[in-house]
Amino acid sequence: MCGIVGILDSYPVNQQIYDGLTVIQHRGQDASGIMTSDGDRVYLRKDNGLVRDVFHTRHMLELKGNMGVGHTRYPTAGSDSRAEAQPFYVNSPYGLALAHNGNLTNAEPLREELFRQDLRQLNTSSDSEILLNIFAHELRDVIGKASLRVTPEDVFEGVAGVMRRCKGAYAAITMIVGVGIVAFRDPHGIRPLIYGKRSNHDQAGAMDAHMFASESVALDVIGYERERDLFPGEAMFIDMQGNMHHKVCANLPQCNPCIFEYVYLARPDSIIDGVSVYQSRIEMGKMLGRRLVRDWSDHDIDVIIPVPDTSRTAALEMAKELKVSYREGFIKNRYIGRTFIMPGQAERRKSVRQKLNAIGSEFKGKNVLLVDDSIVRGTTSSKIIQLAREAGANKVYFASAAPPVRYPNVYGIDMPSSSELVAHDRTVKEISDEIGADFLIYQDLEDMIAAVRRCNPSLDTFDTSCFSGEYVTGDVTPAYLAIVDGQRNDDAKSLSGSQLDLSEITDVQAAHG
C-alpha cells in the first residue's frame, strides 16, 4: 500500500504534487519522493520520512518543471532502505520515472529475465524497479533504437508488454521525459488509480492540467475535477500538449478491486471505483448491527465505543441498529510515532498505552461493545480490551467491521505471516478467548461485499484474499505463500529492522476520521 501522484500542467507542478502527497500520506509514511521534469532534465528529491520532513524550501525550489510524479512508501518486506524510496528512474529510452502502488507476484522470475534476457541491471530489491525496467525495455523494443518520436500507440504497446509479463497488483504512473505521462492499472484493477482534470482556460494559451492519484481526495484538495477511475488493464497517456489518449491494453481484464480499501485503507472522503468509502462504511455498520441483532437479540450492551479512528462510521451505524448509546470512550494522542514499525510485540503493546487513554466515566459499570475496523494480529485488540476493563467496564464485547483476517495479502499490503494472524486456524470463540473479549462478532464476508456493492452495483467481484484465501490473479501457490511467510514473520523483520503491524496503520488516518 503506497500513495502515488502524477501531474502534467502548464505551470510548475512541485507544490501540487507535494500537496497531493500530504493528502494521501496515510497510504505510506516510510519514505517520500518527487521527480519533476522541464522537458530536458529531471529533478529528484526522495528520502525516508514523511512528506513534511523530506521536502524543505530548498528542495522544492530545485524541483523544476511542469510535469512530475510523486510517491509515499509503505514499507513492505525487504523494502526499508533509503535507496528504495520512489520514484525510480532509468535514462533509456528518453528518461523514465515511475511511482508504483502494489506488488508483483512474479517479481523473482522477472528479475532473472531482466538480467539474463533484457541485459538490465537492478540496484534494489524493490519490485517497482522491476516494473519500471520492464516498461522501459518493452517501450524501447516498440520504438526501435533510432526513433525520436513516440506515438500514443507506441506507449500502449509498451504497456501491453508490461501486462503480458507482470503478474500481481500494480497501479503505476510513469513520466517520459519530453513525451508525457502514462498511467496504467493491472488487468484486475486491484489497486486504485483515479484520473482528474483542471481547466486553465482563465490563462491565455494555457492547456488543461491533468492529474492521476491513488485516491480521489488528492484531486479534490488541490482543485482537480475527478473524471473517472482507470479501468482494469487500461493505460492513459497525456502528451506534452495536454492531449489525453487511452486504451485497454490487457486481454480479458476483470474488475476485482481490493475490498480492504473500503473498510480500512482509504480515506473516508475518497471515491474509489465509483464507491464512496464513507458510504460503504455506513453500510458495513448497518450490516454488522443487523447481524448482531439476529445472532444475539437479547444482548445486554449498554454503550458502543469505537476504537479510533476509522471504525467511527461503522460504530455509529451499529449503535443506531441496536438502539443503544454511542460514546467516544478513547482519546488518541496524535503525537505518538507510528507503532506498526516497532520491532516486536513488546514495543507494540507498550505503544498502545501511550497512544490511547480511556475516559473512565464511559466504561465504569457498563457492558461495552468496542468496534474496530479489523483484527489482524490481535495484539492491539487485546490491549484495548484490557484498557476498557481497567477503566471499570463490567463486560467488554468486541466487533470487527471486517471478516476474520486468516490469510496474507500479496497484492501490496504487507500483512504478517499466516501464523501471526490471530484468526489463522482459530474459531471465533478461540479468537475471542485469545484477545480477552467476553463476546466477539465479525462482519460476514458476503455482507461486506453487499455493503460495498450497494454503493456501486456494477462491481461484481473483489479481491478478498486476506479473508477468503482466494487470490484473483490465479498464480499464488502454496510455495509462494511459504516464501511470503518467511519474509514477513517477526524474526525475519527484526533482522531487517522493519516491523510491520497492519492493525496500527491508522495513525495518520486519525486526522481524517
Side-chain angles (χ1 to χ4, degrees), residues 106 188 190 197 207 209 218 290 385 387 446 492:
N106 64 335
H188 291 274
I190 298 171
K197 191 165 64 172
M207 67 181 185
R290 291 167 188 170
I385 290 169
L387 286 175
E446 291 306 314

Side-chain angles (χ1 to χ4, degrees), residues 478-495:
Y480 179 83
L481 291 176
I483 294 172
V484 170
D485 275 5
Q487 293 172 336
R488 295 183 178 183
N489 63 53
D490 270 358
D491 291 341
K493 286 175 181 174
S494 63
L495 290 175

Side-chain angles (χ1 to χ4, degrees), residues 284-310:
M284 289 178 203
K286 290 179 181 178
M287 292 284 195
L288 188 54
R290 291 167 188 170
R291 183 179 185 194
L292 194 150
V293 170
R294 289 195 308 269
D295 294 354
W296 190 17
S297 58
D298 59 344
H299 69 81
D300 58 353
I301 299 167
D302 297 316
V303 62
I304 291 180
I305 293 176
V307 176
D309 283 290
T310 49

Side-chain angles (χ1 to χ4, degrees), residues 145-176:
K145 295 183 179 180
S147 176
L148 296 177
R149 183 173 178 270
V150 180
T151 68
E153 196 56 41
D154 292 335
V155 172
F156 296 142
E157 284 191 44
V159 174
V162 170
M163 293 186 179
R164 285 192 298 269
R165 296 177 67 178
C166 297
K167 308 298 181 185
Y170 47 91
I173 306 171
T174 304
M175 176 177 69
I176 310 176

Side-chain angles (χ1 to χ4, degrees), residues 381-456:
S381 302
S382 62
K383 187 56 62 176
I384 289 170
I385 290 169
Q386 184 179 336
L387 286 175
R389 294 195 190 282
E390 292 173 359
N394 180 36
K395 291 183 179 179
V396 182
Y397 310 128
F398 208 90
S400 168
V405 178
R406 302 187 187 277
Y407 308 93
N409 182 292
V410 300
Y411 299 131
I413 307 172
D414 197 30
M415 289 182 177
S417 67
S418 296
S419 61
E420 293 167 354
L421 297 170
V422 71
H424 184 70
D425 283 340
R426 284 191 176 100
T427 66
V428 173
K429 178 63 169 64
E430 289 170 338
I431 301 167
S432 182
D433 292 342
E434 181 71 18
I435 66 175
D438 293 302
F439 171 80
L440 172 63
I441 188 169
Y442 278 101
Q443 183 84 263
D444 180 77
L445 179 56
E446 291 306 314
D447 284 349
M448 185 180 182
I449 292 171
V452 178
R453 290 195 70 245
R454 282 188 178 183
C455 304
N456 182 2

Side-chain angles (χ1 to χ4, degrees), residues 88-300:
F88 285 114
Y89 175 78
V90 292
N91 62 8
S92 176
Y94 302 101
L96 300 173
L98 175 138
H100 165 227
N101 173 31
N103 183 61
L104 301 184
T105 53
N106 64 335
E108 292 314 308
L110 288 174
R111 188 183 303 277
E112 185 74 10
E113 283 181 23
L114 282 167
F115 182 72
R116 301 285 181 191
Q117 299 175 25
D118 301 346
L119 307 180
R120 286 181 172 266
Q121 174 65 40
L122 301 176
N123 295 315
T124 72
S125 62
S126 172
D127 63 335
S128 302
E129 189 185 16
I130 294 172
L131 185 65
L132 171 60
N133 277 272
I134 293 287
F135 180 56
H137 181 81
E138 294 294 326
L139 185 60
R140 181 64 177 265
D141 271 4
V142 170
I143 63 177
K145 295 183 179 180
S147 176
L148 296 177
R149 183 173 178 270
V150 180
T151 68
E153 196 56 41
D154 292 335
V155 172
F156 296 142
E157 284 191 44
V159 174
V162 170
M163 293 186 179
R164 285 192 298 269
R165 296 177 67 178
C166 297
K167 308 298 181 185
Y170 47 91
I173 306 171
T174 304
M175 176 177 69
I176 310 176
V177 176
V179 175
I181 284 185
V182 57
F184 54 91
R185 195 176 180 195
D186 72 76
H188 291 274
I190 298 171
R191 301 260 71 86
L193 191 56
I194 297 100
Y195 164 67
K197 191 165 64 172
R198 186 181 65 193
S199 172
N200 286 328
H201 290 162
D202 56 327
Q203 304 292 327
M207 67 181 185
D208 289 342
H210 302 264
M211 179 175 177
F212 300 96
S214 295
E215 295 187 29
S216 64
V217 66
L219 286 78
D220 299 338
V221 168
I222 59 176
Y224 283 73
E225 291 292 327
R226 180 178 66 89
E227 295 289 320
R228 65 176 176 87
D229 299 79
L230 271 71
F231 302 131
E234 183 183 29
M236 280 190 176
F237 171 55
I238 313 296
D239 63 31
M240 297 302 291
Q241 291 71 47
N243 301 308
M244 194 271 279
H245 314 266
H246 62 95
K247 183 177 182 179
V248 174
C249 300
N251 294 323
L252 303 175
Q254 296 179 323
C255 192
N256 306 120
C258 174
I259 203 163
F260 219 68
E261 291 280 354
Y262 302 105
V263 71
Y264 191 61
L265 299 179
R267 270 182 49 153
D269 46 346
S270 283
I271 298 173
I272 296 176
D273 286 309
V275 174
S276 162
V277 175
Y278 175 74
Q279 188 62 42
S280 71
R281 291 177 184 170
I282 287 177
E283 297 298 332
M284 289 178 203
K286 290 179 181 178
M287 292 284 195
L288 188 54
R290 291 167 188 170
R291 183 179 185 194
L292 194 150
V293 170
R294 289 195 308 269
D295 294 354
W296 190 17
S297 58
D298 59 344
H299 69 81
D300 58 353

